[in-house]
Amino acid sequence: MRILAADIGTTHLKAGCLDLEGRLRRVAVREIPVLQDGSGRAEHDPEVLWDRFVDAVREAAGEEARVVRWIILSGYQLSLLPVDAAGRPLMGIMTLLDTRPRETFPGLLARMDVGAIYRRTGCPPLFQYPLAKLEWLRVRRPEVFRKARWFLGAKDYLLLRMFGRPVTDPSLATATQMMDVETLRWDPDILELVGLAEGHLPEVVPPETRLGSLRPEAAEALGLPPEVEGIAGVYDGGAVGLGLGAATPGVGAMNLGTTAMIRLVADRPILDQSPRMRLQTYYLAGGRWFPGGAINNAGNVLSWLREAVLGLGYADQEALAEAVGQPTGVLFLPFLTGERYPGISHLASGVIFGLRAHHTRGHFARAAMEGVSFALRLILEALRDNHLIPLRLRAGGGGTRSSLWMRILASVLQIPVEVSEVSEPALMGSAALARVAIGAAPDLQVAVPETAAQVYEPVAEWVPIYERQFARFQALMEDLEAAFRRHQEAIAEGN
């Protein structure tokens, strides 16, 4: 018998076929095009997403399709898709990279009791949350807003097509800014801010929930037996964390993909005790929570720099950055799509500060890696300030292919970074959750086998340099807040 796991990321979708011991047998990858334009739009086409999902599942299952018995999905957070009563999409899926809600966020912010909502939801005031996306739809697309029967996320939409039920899991729901972290129920007072009721959102079921068998038409499309049973699953970062062994006490999880995160498992929701609301606290699975933070800009910054500015391939960009040899001294604020950081979230944009005539393309590439690393250091500082101190930090995601970036991260974060030999941690994490759900493993810690890892230690001579540069990075963020605000006001006035 086999488990089929799929992970819906921002730019790629992966599907894998695994056996009941959690061994990965076959993987298929499909690119998901992000539809973007100058308005800030960043959407996935729902039909393209479904087609790429079908293709990947069929390839991953291959000749073993007849022995697949369970299917489990993970998917990216902060997405939003309005659908009608028949489940038909009314527009594209707004992804976490979509910046259009910045237009209407100030009006929503003025109606929010920010401190109270943070205490109830664990979500700071950020324009990336689905709550802000709903406000944008309500104001800018009222005809779509009124016609919608449900508002779903990307993963929820695929589950609807497979099982005929509008369902979500609490790891996605606690990242909407609309769920009470104490009750794990939709908060009616927050929904009222955007004129909605609980019935407009999907049913929330635990990640271990068994959803029943595939709809006949979905089974036929996917090339799977109709008796294949669905398991609710978690969000992509949660799956990565489980696959990296984050259920083990003291192990922090870092994912470095298009976006990035640092999180640590806790037995309850943990909120930032400072007024800055730096922690974003989401449910994970099995009664565990996953406090920490995420940033919108990570691998996408290196991709943008490589393709739009430098005109290089991956290997050439890496070689030029490596050749620089030392910290650059250039501060790269990598906020190309805004950022999930309270105070500047809807204001921020990318900034490169401190350029000199001697700086080369290699300095640009390395400075981008350093800037993302400083942004992740802000999250680690928030965890430490709230007595959440990882003893080990395990990393996954495409960014871990860069040994230079891993050495920079270890030096900026001042903690060894372990790059696990698990090739597909999101798929492995989902499979571990499925094994627990069907009784093939007793708990999440046991369900993920211990694997070897490449350990990157901080580079001693870089550590003090990066410590000084991190202080400058923080000061520059504070100094630029007013400039960001003036810039946004000028854009709004057409200047």
Side-chain angles (χ1 to χ4, degrees):
M1 293 188 289
R2 300 288 181 259
I3 298 166
L4 200 296
D7 178 59
I8 301 96
T10 316
T11 55
H12 290 85
L13 184 151
K14 297 181 179 181
C17 188
L18 303 98
D19 61 27
L20 289 187
E21 284 69 49
R23 292 186 292 257
L24 189 60
R25 300 176 64 82
R26 191 182 297 103
V27 177
V29 182
R30 295 292 184 276
E31 185 178 357
I32 313 172
V34 180
L35 307 175
Q36 295 180 285
D37 59 34
S39 71
R41 173 187 179 228
E43 296 180 349
H44 285 152
D45 183 315
E47 290 302 321
V48 171
L49 177 64
W50 172 256
D51 290 344
R52 301 292 166 91
F53 173 66
V54 168
D55 287 347
V57 167
R58 280 182 167 271
E59 182 181 331
E63 60 188 21
E64 294 187 303
R66 59 185 176 79
V67 293
V68 172
R69 290 295 176 268
W70 299 277
I71 186 167
I72 181 168
L73 272 60
S74 60
Y76 65 92
Q77 293 176 320
L78 311 184
S79 57
L80 187 73
L81 172 67
V83 300
D84 65 16
R88 293 184 296 255
L90 298 173
M91 60 177 286
I93 302 169
M94 298 177 73
T95 71
L96 53 83
L97 302 177
D98 200 305
T99 61
R100 290 173 294 180
R102 286 197 290 204
E103 302 168 11
T104 54
F105 187 64
L108 175 64
L109 200 59
R111 304 198 306 274
M112 295 170 67
D113 183 335
V114 170
I117 288 178
Y118 179 65
R119 290 189 295 272
R120 280 152 61 183
T121 68
C123 296
L126 305 177
F127 81 89
Q128 290 91 348
Y129 284 122
L131 179 65
K133 290 180 169 69
L134 285 165
E135 172 71 358
W136 181 83
L137 278 176
R138 187 184 71 83
V139 175
R140 294 286 193 260
R141 299 281 181 83
E143 70 289 351
V144 172
F145 187 83
R146 288 192 299 268
K147 193 181 295 185
R149 172 63 184 85
W150 293 293
F151 295 93
L152 308 176
K155 177 186 149 188
D156 309 337
Y157 172 66
L158 296 182
L159 292 177
L160 177 64
R161 289 196 67 156
M162 286 195 291
F163 301 103
R165 296 171 57 189
V167 296
T168 193
D169 73 85
S171 78
L172 289 169
T174 48
T176 63
Q177 205 170 39
M178 295 181 285
M179 171 160 279
D180 188 312
V181 295
E182 297 298 333
T183 65
L184 289 181
R185 296 183 61 88
W186 298 118
D187 188 306
D189 294 335
I190 295 175
L191 293 180
E192 192 175 336
L193 287 172
V194 289
L196 294 181
E198 185 175 349
H200 290 103
L201 299 176
E203 176 189 1
V204 182
V205 299
E208 306 85 356
T209 300
R210 298 167 74 163
L211 300 172
S213 300
L214 288 168
R215 300 169 72 190
E217 56 269 38
E220 181 179 1
L222 295 166
L224 298 176
E227 63 268 24
V228 167
E229 185 179 15
I231 298 168
V234 294
Y235 86 101
D236 57 352
V240 167
L242 293 175
L244 292 174
T248 302
V251 174
M254 177 170 66
N255 189 47
L256 194 63
T258 302
T259 60
M261 71 165 194
I262 296 180
R263 296 190 176 277
L264 188 67
V265 169
D267 59 5
R268 58 187 175 86
I270 306 290
L271 304 182
D272 188 5
Q273 295 308 299
S274 87
R276 288 178 286 173
M277 299 176 281
R278 296 165 296 171
L279 294 182
Q280 304 144 23
T281 297
Y282 306 138
Y283 187 81
L284 183 55
R288 295 179 174 97
W289 290 77
F290 213 24
I295 58 176
N296 257 37
N297 300 277
N300 63 312
V301 177
L302 273 293
S303 296
W304 167 81
L305 190 64
R306 184 167 61 247
E307 296 164 9
V309 180
L310 303 180
L312 298 172
Y314 173 83
D316 291 333
Q317 184 184 50
E318 181 80 359
L320 286 173
E322 185 77 64
V324 172
Q326 294 292 324
T328 64
V330 176
L331 293 180
F332 194 141
L333 273 63
F335 307 142
L336 301 184
T337 61
E339 197 42 85
R340 297 183 229 180
Y341 200 78
I344 66 165
S345 71
H346 64 298
L347 303 171
S349 55
V351 174
I352 301 175
F353 187 81
L355 288 178
R356 300 283 187 182
H358 70 275
H359 288 131
T360 66
R361 294 184 298 174
H363 289 91
F364 274 91
R366 180 165 179 148
M369 295 178 185
E370 293 169 345
V372 173
S373 301
F374 291 142
L376 286 167
R377 169 78 180 266
L378 294 170
I379 298 171
L380 190 60
E381 292 294 310
L383 284 168
R384 288 169 171 161
D385 289 348
N386 287 276
H387 312 294
L388 293 168
I389 303 174
L391 304 177
R392 304 151 68 188
L393 193 59
R394 287 191 186 158
T400 60
R401 292 183 297 161
S402 169
S403 62
L404 171 61
W405 205 351
M406 294 305 98
R407 300 197 307 276
I408 290 171
L409 273 163
S411 304
V412 169
L413 301 178
Q414 299 181 27
I415 185 173
V417 174
E418 302 176 6
V419 176
S420 171
E421 289 186 359
V422 173
S423 61
E424 300 292 347
L427 301 180
M428 298 293 285
S430 286
L433 183 58
R435 293 175 64 218
V436 171
I438 65 178
D443 60 51
L444 289 169
Q445 187 172 333
V446 174
V448 179
E450 187 74 22
T451 57
Q454 170 73 49
V455 180
Y456 294 89
E457 299 285 347
V459 179
E461 59 266 33
W462 293 356
V463 169
I465 300 172
Y466 281 140
E467 187 66 17
R468 293 191 295 271
Q469 289 186 1
F470 176 63
R472 290 172 52 217
F473 182 88
Q474 290 178 293
L476 183 60
M477 283 182 59
E478 293 175 5
D479 291 343
L480 283 175
E481 183 172 346
F484 282 144
R485 194 175 303 279
R486 289 193 297 271
H487 178 62
Q488 287 298 317
E489 289 170 354
I491 290 174
E493 294 169 1
N495 297 326

